[in-house]
Amino acid sequence: MPSPYIIVTAAVALGVGIDTLVKAIALDLSVLTLTTWRFLFGSGFALTLFVVRRRPIPTLGAIGFHVLRGVVQLITALSFFWALTQIALAEATVMGFMAALMVPAMGRLILKEKISPVATAAAIAGFCGAAFALSAQATGGPDGNRVAGALAAFTAAVGYALTLILIRLRTRQEDTDTIAMFGNVMPATLLVVVMVVLNVASPTAPALFPTLSSVLPLFALGAIAFSVWWLMSEAYRHAEAQRLAPFEYLALPMSVAAGYFVFGEVPSWRLYLGAAVIIAGCLAIAFEDRLPIKRLKTG
């Protein structure tokens, strides 16, 4: 089996592909409709794998846990997808880096993993870096509400960090196929209910069904998204959350390239400097055991 670090890197690359595709589709389709069908198509792939491999049906208690995780994932996806319509791709990616800095604290609260002063200092520095990174708008970026977009991206980062912790918590009891299946089916079910209610209540609600031209991109989105969560679940099964999360920073050069070539976005120099602060914090957490100050204290 490949190293969990290789697996999570592949997942990050596919994740940037998702963000790019979502940003393109959102030009013609509402975020609610887009997100609904992303999870519906993802559910098709996940359920197929679940059935083919004959995974056991989880207990009611486990299903309750996955309902909670589904709500968190749904809020995370909706927040980030909407943020992509308001700010540049690279800016949204930098805000997403905040998740890696939140993971140690959440790991401490939920998984009882030890949190160190280095992780605390890195998180504080990361918040400052994110604020600085978004202090200037990217050239060619969307003309949206930058404050609301940044807040939505931050909300998504919190939700993503919590989702990673919940995945690691569940990998102690369930296989990757089951986790990935619920990670698609639960948000899809919740969204379909919401969309049906909205369409019944209001004639101006977002369309439940996508346009014919959007079906193929949405199908691809569901397939890629399922692959990302399957890979993430597999990686977090074999390594600590706070060790894997910093590899998310590889998304920056990927998103900068995608934003430039696909949308003509050129981030401000402040984004790179702010991102460097966040990345430094992520690396400090990832390689904390190798820091000179750590060796002095333990030696």
Side-chain angles (χ1 to χ4, degrees):
M1 173 188 168
S3 162
Y5 302 108
I6 294 177
I7 294 174
V8 80
T9 299
V12 169
L14 289 174
V16 173
I18 290 175
D19 299 343
T20 305
L21 189 54
V22 165
K23 193 173 180 68
I25 297 174
L27 296 173
D28 303 311
L29 205 62
S30 77
V31 171
L32 265 176
T33 305
L34 183 158
T35 309
T36 299
W37 286 91
R38 168 260 176 270
F39 280 113
L40 281 173
F41 280 125
S43 295
F45 289 103
L47 279 169
T48 299
L49 190 61
F50 181 83
V51 172
V52 167
R53 295 194 176 184
R54 298 181 179 180
R55 299 304 187 191
I57 302 298
T59 63
L60 288 177
I63 292 175
F65 176 91
H66 287 298
V67 170
L68 171 62
R69 184 167 69 92
V71 171
V72 174
Q73 277 190 243
L74 182 54
I75 294 172
T76 301
L78 287 173
S79 299
F80 192 75
F81 289 173
W82 186 79
L84 287 171
T85 68
Q86 304 300 308
I87 58 179
L89 182 60
E91 292 172 333
T93 298
V94 169
M95 288 300 296
F97 286 161
M98 298 303 298
L101 300 174
M102 299 174 196
V103 164
M106 291 188 180
R108 170 62 179 170
L109 291 173
I110 299 174
L111 301 178
K112 306 304 180 184
E113 293 179 349
K114 184 178 179 180
I115 183 171
S116 68
V118 172
T120 302
I124 295 173
F127 280 103
C128 296
F132 187 79
L134 292 173
S135 60
Q137 186 169 2
T139 303
D143 187 22
N145 187 325
R146 287 179 52 73
V147 174
L151 287 174
F154 179 77
T155 300
V158 174
Y160 185 57
L162 180 55
T163 299
L164 293 179
I165 293 298
L166 292 176
I167 286 176
R168 178 152 177 81
L169 183 63
R170 206 64 203 167
T171 55
R172 298 173 177 178
Q173 305 173 50
E174 291 179 346
D175 60 85
T176 302
D177 297 338
T178 302
I179 293 172
M181 184 271 289
F182 276 111
N184 284 271
V185 171
M186 286 302 177
T189 302
L190 294 170
L191 268 174
V192 167
V193 171
V194 169
M195 289 291 284
V196 169
V197 171
L198 286 177
N199 277 266
V200 170
S202 173
T204 60
L208 176 59
F209 296 100
T211 60
L212 189 60
S213 61
S214 301
V215 172
L216 186 58
L218 288 172
F219 179 82
L221 182 62
I224 299 171
F226 166 72
S227 299
V228 169
W229 281 110
W230 191 92
L231 289 170
M232 281 292 187
S233 299
E234 192 64 21
Y236 276 79
R237 175 183 301 281
H238 298 285
E240 286 188 0
Q242 63 182 351
R243 299 299 178 188
L244 289 178
F247 281 79
E248 298 276 341
Y249 79 82
L250 292 173
L252 179 59
M254 299 176 189
S255 63
V256 168
Y260 177 76
F261 288 109
V262 180
F263 305 108
E265 299 171 348
V266 181
S268 162
W269 64 271
R270 295 185 182 185
L271 180 134
Y272 297 104
L273 187 56
V277 173
I278 298 174
I279 290 170
C282 293
L283 291 175
I285 295 173
F287 301 103
E288 180 181 352
D289 292 340
R290 301 182 185 181
L291 294 177
I293 185 172
K294 182 73 174 181
R295 290 200 298 268
L296 285 174
K297 286 183 178 179
T298 58

